[in-house]
Amino acid sequence: MSKRFLRSVYWLGFWGCFFLIKTALSQTVESLCLPALYNHSHLTYKADRQNWKITQSPTTQFMYFANSKGLLEFDGARWRVYELPNKQIVRSVWADANGLIYTGALGEFGYWKESAKGVLQYHSLKKLVNDQAFQNEEVWHILPTPSGVLFQSFAFMYLYQGGKVKKLKTPGNILFTFQAGKAFYLEVIDKGLFELKGERFQKIAASEFLGKEAIYTVATTAIPNELLIGTNKGLYRFDGKQFSVFNQELHDFIRTNQLNAATRLRNGNYVFGTIRQGLVLTNQRGEILYKINQKNGLQNNTVLSLFEDEKGNVWVGLDNGISMLALSSPFKYFEDLEGKIGTVYDIITFQNTLYLATNHGVFAKALTSKAEFQLIRGLQGQAWDLEVFDDQLLCGHNNGTYRIEGDKAIQLSDITGGWQLKRALNKPSMLIQSTYTKLCLYEKDAQGKWVFKHTMEGFSNPTAQWEELPDGRLILNTKNAGLVLLQPASDYKTAKKVTNLGLRAINLLKQDKIYITSEKGVQEFDQKQSKFIPSARFEESKAQKLFAFSDKSWWELTVSGGLRLLKKPNQWQVVPLQNNFLVDDYETIVSHDSVARIFGRENGFAFLASTDLLTQNNVSPLIRGLEVEQFPELTQYYSKNGRSGEIALKYNQNNLRFKFSSTDFASSVKYSYWLENASKDWSDFSDNSVKEFNNLMPGSYTLHLKTNTGLQEATLNFSILPPWYWNLWSKLVYCLFFCLICFFLYQWHKRRLAAENERLQQQKALELKEQKEKNRQEIIRIRNEQLEQDLVRKSEELANSTMELIKKNELFQEIQAKVSEMQVHSKPNDFQQLSKWIETHISTGKDWQVFEQNFNQVHEQFFKKLMENYPDLSKGDLKLAAYLRMNLSSKEISQLLNITYRSVELKRYRLRKKMNLGQDENLAEFMMSF
């Protein structure tokens, strides 16, 4: 045998043992946990306590329970009870592939069918049974057989097919009927076990003893043609020839606690329900995997019924309530139901021992022992951190820092609140710890034990987390100051420089870079700029916290409280962990090995054996119901998606309430919706399964629904019709009416424009007329001004001519007087001729005509008006009047008239008399004002 072969065998054995030990260790941790258990009390589902049988509809995936009050329906979000006409206790239930739900009760069996409104309506088959004795029989089992649906009571069996019910002749009184594989079996009291073949009954050999026991299950085993038979006295296997005990430990447990129900799961394992001790889960060999009872979370220890749903979850009908064992979930849970351990803040495995840091202290449990968790002496109280450095387990505690050795704790430092302890990258021989007050430094002593060395002076602030940059600077996530950048001295004794980065972080972590999560999203530290910048890697992330692991996997705690795993770039997968699973503000996810993860919880921890167990959920959400406010008759329920057509509602039926559901029973489902044509984007995920939309406007809408656990989407189309005064015909009438109005408005506008145009033309003509009149008046004014100017000029000329005439007459009178004086000395004829010539030039009639003409031009129509009023005036009177109007004195007038002053006064007297003027009236003033 060659050395190479021996070496290969050696290394194969070594690695085989390594992986076996590793697997055994992981399984040991997992064995501390149980599958998730969901409890539903009768106060939740609002029916009676007892649930006798369970089934699931293949078409809707809804769960149905034979409850003492009636048929109980669960769609994943809400419960509903359907009572029988006579309100009997429903003892049995089964759903066929067409969605019919068959039930059996006292003197009654039939089926439930969905109505047009989406609610179940009962159709009784009792009228097809012609047997009076049936009225006193309760139907305990309903089974599908090739010959039809089988209804079984203690005394009778009926077969329903093709609308007819046929009574089968049984070998005796029946206890229960079972299906095992494709075969059907029943126990006949005092006779044993029989197989139903068609409509005949064939006795199983050597089964007489079973007639004295109560059979509660008949199932197949991993061995072909072998049966597992469970009774109130134990478990037996039947190989076709003889009976033997199936598994002695399980047999004894069942015998002690009394079997009441059982089922074989599709993976080959078994679930047994008892009267006294709840559930037992076993593998195919009957080896007990889990015991689940009231001590570890089951509502009630008396199991009445069991059922495995399509996803592999086990539903448990109890004497008081309903529970579901989420076997489809990859998570297992350790729950501290008694409150001994408390809230878990950190978890670590060290030297085959599992340690828990909790608010009650540090607890330890040897993985190779069945003993319970034990409190480490001296570490009671709040514990924060558990770390292993160089094969030494250190604990950060509220009271200081400790080294744990076995079941005792040795205090290293009394500086309170050891939050985070890590190795310094630039000085691996030193540990740095953030605490309530300071940064603490630890080094090894001469014996190689970690001991407290000193604190870092120059910095004091409660610091929850810290990370180290390659250049030795520390980024600290402090409680009071937010993020701080600290430059330590080379010996870490003092802080050389402390810079506040002006940010507050929810958590701080490091993988390839240093990241923070904050209200602004995920940011990464840029060493060149010495500041945090938005992370392109997590640009679309809505993380409240991130968790990074050495295998480069990322876990994200979302703002809405969900948990996601980043398996591929930008491909987040929802993790179906139970609600309220992590500790608020102190969420903890630790690596158990390269693939397993442990999650700290408020009352224990959760265990995931491998992330490969996380698969994408393909359960589609369901828009379960539609309610219209104030119109209850329009309430509609839906049992599946893909409804054809569109729902049309009237305009006043626009206040709607939608109900959601999901048959992802093993997950904490949250819903997100988007109402197309009414909202712009998806809503945040919420566990609220009801949404109301009020005052929707007329139009077509599409409601979109999705969950946090799957990628599929449900839609529902509906429309709000417009009111009668806004339907199509009304709109056509309105359009016609509008067109007519527009036509009439156009015509009116046209006429108004014409009238306005005419008015404008008239106004323009009037304005032109007024302008002409203004122009004419202006011309008249100008002409009057010219006339006035001419009048002034004429008056001046008249006055001048009058004065010249007066002067001329005066001159000639003087000449005449001189001539008269000289006449004595001259020849008579000569002077007579000269005197005659002078007389001809003194005030001639021609002179008067010229004067009258000029006078009339200045004093227009004076003579005419004077003659009209005083027709008796002579020509001489008119002359005197003219001279008076010119305001000439009597002397001046006498010279013009070539008469004496006395004669002028006499003329004035005569004129006054002719004009009938009084003595007190001034003749000259009268003439000037006339």
Side-chain angles (χ1 to χ4, degrees), residues 433-445:
Q433 183 186 43
S434 59
T435 70
Y436 290 169
T437 54
K438 301 176 180 294
L439 293 179
C440 299
L441 286 302
Y442 296 83
E443 289 182 342
K444 289 183 180 179
D445 60 10

Side-chain angles (χ1 to χ4, degrees), residues 138-155:
E138 287 194 296
V139 177
W140 286 92
H141 278 80
I142 304 174
L143 294 174
T145 72
S147 301
V149 181
L150 184 68
F151 297 90
Q152 176 249 315
S153 70
F154 287 147

Side-chain angles (χ1 to χ4, degrees), residues 819 823 827-841:
V819 170
Q823 200 170 19
K827 293 180 180 182
N829 291 333
D830 292 336
F831 284 103
Q832 289 177 355
Q833 290 178 355
L834 179 61
S835 179
K836 187 176 182 180
W837 177 82
I838 291 171
E839 289 178 354
T840 59
H841 285 85

